[in-house]
PDB file of all heavy atoms in Angstrom:
ATOM      1  N   SER A  96       6.588 -15.344  19.174  1.00 96.00           N
ATOM      2  CA  SER A  96       7.186 -15.286  17.846  1.00 96.00           C
ATOM      3  C   SER A  96       8.470 -14.469  17.869  1.00 96.00           C
ATOM      4  O   SER A  96       8.531 -13.381  18.450  1.00 96.00           O
ATOM      5  CB  SER A  96       6.186 -14.665  16.861  1.00 96.00           C
ATOM      6  OG  SER A  96       6.814 -14.364  15.636  1.00 96.00           O
ATOM      7  N   ALA A  97       9.506 -14.985  17.215  1.00 96.00           N
ATOM      8  CA  ALA A  97      10.791 -14.278  17.165  1.00 96.00           C
ATOM      9  C   ALA A  97      10.658 -12.940  16.427  1.00 96.00           C
ATOM     10  O   ALA A  97      11.387 -11.988  16.712  1.00 96.00           O
ATOM     11  CB  ALA A  97      11.838 -15.149  16.470  1.00 96.00           C
ATOM     12  N   VAL A  98       9.708 -12.854  15.491  1.00 97.00           N
ATOM     13  CA  VAL A  98       9.519 -11.616  14.737  1.00 97.00           C
ATOM     14  C   VAL A  98       9.067 -10.485  15.658  1.00 97.00           C
ATOM     15  O   VAL A  98       9.475  -9.337  15.502  1.00 97.00           O
ATOM     16  CB  VAL A  98       8.487 -11.834  13.603  1.00 97.00           C
ATOM     17  CG1 VAL A  98       8.126 -10.508  12.935  1.00 97.00           C
ATOM     18  CG2 VAL A  98       9.042 -12.812  12.570  1.00 97.00           C
ATOM     19  N   VAL A  99       8.226 -10.818  16.635  1.00 97.00           N
ATOM     20  CA  VAL A  99       7.764  -9.814  17.598  1.00 97.00           C
ATOM     21  C   VAL A  99       8.950  -9.209  18.348  1.00 97.00           C
ATOM     22  O   VAL A  99       9.021  -7.991  18.559  1.00 97.00           O
ATOM     23  CB  VAL A  99       6.763 -10.450  18.588  1.00 97.00           C
ATOM     24  CG1 VAL A  99       6.516  -9.542  19.781  1.00 97.00           C
ATOM     25  CG2 VAL A  99       5.452 -10.766  17.880  1.00 97.00           C
ATOM     26  N   GLN A 102      11.062  -7.004  15.980  1.00 97.00           N
ATOM     27  CA  GLN A 102      10.397  -5.733  15.700  1.00 97.00           C
ATOM     28  C   GLN A 102      10.463  -4.783  16.893  1.00 97.00           C
ATOM     29  O   GLN A 102      10.525  -3.563  16.721  1.00 97.00           O
ATOM     30  CB  GLN A 102       8.944  -5.976  15.296  1.00 97.00           C
ATOM     31  CG  GLN A 102       8.789  -6.627  13.931  1.00 97.00           C
ATOM     32  CD  GLN A 102       9.435  -5.804  12.832  1.00 97.00           C
ATOM     33  OE1 GLN A 102       9.126  -4.635  12.649  1.00 97.00           O
ATOM     34  NE2 GLN A 102      10.351  -6.427  12.096  1.00 97.00           N
ATOM     35  N   ARG A 143       4.250  -6.044  16.776  1.00 97.00           N
ATOM     36  CA  ARG A 143       4.125  -5.981  15.323  1.00 97.00           C
ATOM     37  C   ARG A 143       4.589  -7.275  14.683  1.00 97.00           C
ATOM     38  O   ARG A 143       5.606  -7.850  15.075  1.00 97.00           O
ATOM     39  CB  ARG A 143       4.933  -4.798  14.775  1.00 97.00           C
ATOM     40  CG  ARG A 143       4.755  -4.580  13.278  1.00 97.00           C
ATOM     41  CD  ARG A 143       5.291  -3.231  12.806  1.00 97.00           C
ATOM     42  NE  ARG A 143       6.718  -3.087  13.029  1.00 97.00           N
ATOM     43  CZ  ARG A 143       7.243  -2.322  13.978  1.00 97.00           C
ATOM     44  NH1 ARG A 143       6.469  -1.641  14.796  1.00 97.00           N
ATOM     45  NH2 ARG A 143       8.559  -2.236  14.117  1.00 97.00           N
ATOM     46  N   PHE A 144       3.822  -7.735  13.684  1.00 97.00           N
ATOM     47  CA  PHE A 144       4.170  -8.910  12.897  1.00 97.00           C
ATOM     48  C   PHE A 144       4.408  -8.466  11.458  1.00 97.00           C
ATOM     49  O   PHE A 144       3.600  -7.734  10.890  1.00 97.00           O
ATOM     50  CB  PHE A 144       3.032  -9.940  12.913  1.00 97.00           C
ATOM     51  CG  PHE A 144       2.709 -10.500  14.266  1.00 97.00           C
ATOM     52  CD1 PHE A 144       1.802  -9.855  15.100  1.00 97.00           C
ATOM     53  CD2 PHE A 144       3.293 -11.679  14.707  1.00 97.00           C
ATOM     54  CE1 PHE A 144       1.491 -10.370  16.340  1.00 97.00           C
ATOM     55  CE2 PHE A 144       2.985 -12.204  15.956  1.00 97.00           C
ATOM     56  CZ  PHE A 144       2.086 -11.544  16.773  1.00 97.00           C
ATOM     57  N   THR A 145       5.509  -8.894  10.861  1.00 95.00           N
ATOM     58  CA  THR A 145       5.770  -8.632   9.446  1.00 95.00           C
ATOM     59  C   THR A 145       5.460  -9.896   8.647  1.00 95.00           C
ATOM     60  O   THR A 145       5.048 -10.920   9.209  1.00 95.00           O
ATOM     61  CB  THR A 145       7.232  -8.219   9.233  1.00 95.00           C
ATOM     62  OG1 THR A 145       8.084  -9.292   9.667  1.00 95.00           O
ATOM     63  CG2 THR A 145       7.561  -6.966  10.032  1.00 95.00           C
ATOM     64  N   LYS A 146       5.676  -9.831   7.333  1.00 92.00           N
ATOM     65  CA  LYS A 146       5.383 -10.997   6.497  1.00 92.00           C
ATOM     66  C   LYS A 146       6.228 -12.200   6.890  1.00 92.00           C
ATOM     67  O   LYS A 146       5.820 -13.355   6.683  1.00 92.00           O
ATOM     68  CB  LYS A 146       5.640 -10.643   5.030  1.00 92.00           C
ATOM     69  CG  LYS A 146       4.522  -9.810   4.405  1.00 92.00           C
ATOM     70  CD  LYS A 146       4.753  -9.634   2.913  1.00 92.00           C
ATOM     71  CE  LYS A 146       3.580  -8.909   2.275  1.00 92.00           C
ATOM     72  NZ  LYS A 146       3.768  -8.721   0.808  1.00 92.00           N
ATOM     73  N   ASN A 147       7.413 -11.945   7.446  1.00 91.00           N
ATOM     74  CA  ASN A 147       8.267 -13.056   7.883  1.00 91.00           C
ATOM     75  C   ASN A 147       7.602 -13.907   8.946  1.00 91.00           C
ATOM     76  O   ASN A 147       7.935 -15.082   9.117  1.00 91.00           O
ATOM     77  CB  ASN A 147       9.591 -12.517   8.427  1.00 91.00           C
ATOM     78  CG  ASN A 147      10.440 -11.880   7.346  1.00 91.00           C
ATOM     79  OD1 ASN A 147      10.255 -12.173   6.171  1.00 91.00           O
ATOM     80  ND2 ASN A 147      11.352 -11.006   7.730  1.00 91.00           N
ATOM     81  N   ALA A 148       6.675 -13.317   9.679  1.00 92.00           N
ATOM     82  CA  ALA A 148       5.984 -14.049  10.747  1.00 92.00           C
ATOM     83  C   ALA A 148       4.888 -14.951  10.200  1.00 92.00           C
ATOM     84  O   ALA A 148       4.309 -15.757  10.930  1.00 92.00           O
ATOM     85  CB  ALA A 148       5.394 -13.069  11.756  1.00 92.00           C
ATOM     86  N   ARG A 149       4.561 -14.784   8.917  1.00 92.00           N
ATOM     87  CA  ARG A 149       3.522 -15.586   8.248  1.00 92.00           C
ATOM     88  C   ARG A 149       2.143 -15.408   8.915  1.00 92.00           C
ATOM     89  O   ARG A 149       1.390 -16.363   9.061  1.00 92.00           O
ATOM     90  CB  ARG A 149       3.912 -17.062   8.222  1.00 92.00           C
ATOM     91  CG  ARG A 149       5.121 -17.354   7.348  1.00 92.00           C
ATOM     92  CD  ARG A 149       5.329 -18.864   7.200  1.00 92.00           C
ATOM     93  NE  ARG A 149       6.428 -19.158   6.288  1.00 92.00           N
ATOM     94  CZ  ARG A 149       7.695 -19.231   6.639  1.00 92.00           C
ATOM     95  NH1 ARG A 149       8.031 -19.018   7.895  1.00 92.00           N
ATOM     96  NH2 ARG A 149       8.632 -19.489   5.762  1.00 92.00           N
ATOM     97  N   PHE A 150       1.827 -14.185   9.296  1.00 95.00           N
ATOM     98  CA  PHE A 150       0.456 -13.915   9.733  1.00 95.00           C
ATOM     99  C   PHE A 150      -0.431 -13.914   8.489  1.00 95.00           C
ATOM    100  O   PHE A 150       0.036 -13.691   7.372  1.00 95.00           O
ATOM    101  CB  PHE A 150       0.375 -12.564  10.453  1.00 95.00           C
ATOM    102  CG  PHE A 150       0.461 -11.372   9.549  1.00 95.00           C
ATOM    103  CD1 PHE A 150      -0.670 -10.825   8.965  1.00 95.00           C
ATOM    104  CD2 PHE A 150       1.691 -10.789   9.256  1.00 95.00           C
ATOM    105  CE1 PHE A 150      -0.590  -9.731   8.116  1.00 95.00           C
ATOM    106  CE2 PHE A 150       1.785  -9.690   8.422  1.00 95.00           C
ATOM    107  CZ  PHE A 150       0.639  -9.162   7.841  1.00 95.00           C
ATOM    108  N   GLN A 151      -1.712 -14.122   8.653  1.00 94.00           N
ATOM    109  CA  GLN A 151      -2.600 -14.106   7.501  1.00 94.00           C
ATOM    110  C   GLN A 151      -4.052 -13.885   7.925  1.00 94.00           C
ATOM    111  O   GLN A 151      -4.424 -14.139   9.075  1.00 94.00           O
ATOM    112  CB  GLN A 151      -2.489 -15.405   6.702  1.00 94.00           C
ATOM    113  CG  GLN A 151      -3.048 -16.629   7.424  1.00 94.00           C
ATOM    114  CD  GLN A 151      -3.002 -17.869   6.560  1.00 94.00           C
ATOM    115  OE1 GLN A 151      -2.111 -18.687   6.712  1.00 94.00           O
ATOM    116  NE2 GLN A 151      -3.969 -18.016   5.674  1.00 94.00           N
ATOM    117  N   ARG A 159      -4.935 -14.722  11.709  1.00 97.00           N
ATOM    118  CA  ARG A 159      -4.106 -15.802  12.250  1.00 97.00           C
ATOM    119  C   ARG A 159      -2.744 -15.232  12.632  1.00 97.00           C
ATOM    120  O   ARG A 159      -2.006 -14.737  11.786  1.00 97.00           O
ATOM    121  CB  ARG A 159      -3.956 -16.917  11.229  1.00 97.00           C
ATOM    122  CG  ARG A 159      -3.105 -18.091  11.684  1.00 97.00           C
ATOM    123  CD  ARG A 159      -3.290 -19.260  10.742  1.00 97.00           C
ATOM    124  NE  ARG A 159      -4.654 -19.762  10.777  1.00 97.00           N
ATOM    125  CZ  ARG A 159      -5.176 -20.584   9.856  1.00 97.00           C
ATOM    126  NH1 ARG A 159      -4.440 -20.967   8.821  1.00 97.00           N
ATOM    127  NH2 ARG A 159      -6.438 -20.990   9.968  1.00 97.00           N
ATOM    128  N   LEU A 160      -2.417 -15.322  13.900  1.00 97.00           N
ATOM    129  CA  LEU A 160      -1.164 -14.804  14.430  1.00 97.00           C
ATOM    130  C   LEU A 160      -0.342 -15.952  15.001  1.00 97.00           C
ATOM    131  O   LEU A 160      -0.879 -16.791  15.729  1.00 97.00           O
ATOM    132  CB  LEU A 160      -1.424 -13.764  15.526  1.00 97.00           C
ATOM    133  CG  LEU A 160      -2.211 -12.523  15.099  1.00 97.00           C
ATOM    134  CD1 LEU A 160      -2.560 -11.675  16.319  1.00 97.00           C
ATOM    135  CD2 LEU A 160      -1.420 -11.710  14.094  1.00 97.00           C
ATOM    136  N   PRO A 161       0.955 -16.028  14.688  1.00 96.00           N
ATOM    137  CA  PRO A 161       1.790 -17.127  15.186  1.00 96.00           C
ATOM    138  C   PRO A 161       1.846 -17.158  16.711  1.00 96.00           C
ATOM    139  O   PRO A 161       2.021 -16.125  17.354  1.00 96.00           O
ATOM    140  CB  PRO A 161       3.164 -16.837  14.574  1.00 96.00           C
ATOM    141  CG  PRO A 161       3.126 -15.410  14.172  1.00 96.00           C
ATOM    142  CD  PRO A 161       1.715 -15.092  13.839  1.00 96.00           C
ATOM    143  N   LYS A 162       1.665 -18.370  17.268  1.00 95.00           N
ATOM    144  CA  LYS A 162       1.712 -18.640  18.704  1.00 95.00           C
ATOM    145  C   LYS A 162       0.606 -17.919  19.491  1.00 95.00           C
ATOM    146  O   LYS A 162       0.669 -17.811  20.714  1.00 95.00           O
ATOM    147  CB  LYS A 162       3.084 -18.290  19.287  1.00 95.00           C
ATOM    148  CG  LYS A 162       4.222 -19.118  18.685  1.00 95.00           C
ATOM    149  CD  LYS A 162       5.491 -19.013  19.484  1.00 95.00           C
ATOM    150  CE  LYS A 162       6.561 -19.925  18.908  1.00 95.00           C
ATOM    151  NZ  LYS A 162       7.819 -19.908  19.671  1.00 95.00           N
ATOM    152  N   SER A 179       1.501  -5.630   4.420  1.00 94.00           N
ATOM    153  CA  SER A 179       2.922  -5.949   4.605  1.00 94.00           C
ATOM    154  C   SER A 179       3.239  -6.195   6.074  1.00 94.00           C
ATOM    155  O   SER A 179       4.233  -6.841   6.401  1.00 94.00           O
ATOM    156  CB  SER A 179       3.794  -4.813   4.074  1.00 94.00           C
ATOM    157  OG  SER A 179       3.491  -3.595   4.738  1.00 94.00           O
ATOM    158  N   VAL A 181       1.237  -6.117  10.359  1.00 97.00           N
ATOM    159  CA  VAL A 181       0.085  -5.844  11.201  1.00 97.00           C
ATOM    160  C   VAL A 181       0.581  -5.586  12.619  1.00 97.00           C
ATOM    161  O   VAL A 181       1.442  -6.303  13.135  1.00 97.00           O
ATOM    162  CB  VAL A 181      -0.939  -7.002  11.187  1.00 97.00           C
ATOM    163  CG1 VAL A 181      -0.315  -8.308  11.695  1.00 97.00           C
ATOM    164  CG2 VAL A 181      -2.160  -6.654  12.030  1.00 97.00           C
TER     165      VAL A 181
END
Side-chain angles (χ1 to χ4, degrees):
S96 169
V98 172
V99 167
Q102 290 302 304
R143 185 167 62 254
F144 297 87
T145 61
K146 282 187 175 180
N147 293 338
R149 293 188 176 87
F150 74 88
Q151 69 176 100
R159 180 167 296 165
L160 299 172
K162 298 194 176 182
S179 59
V181 60

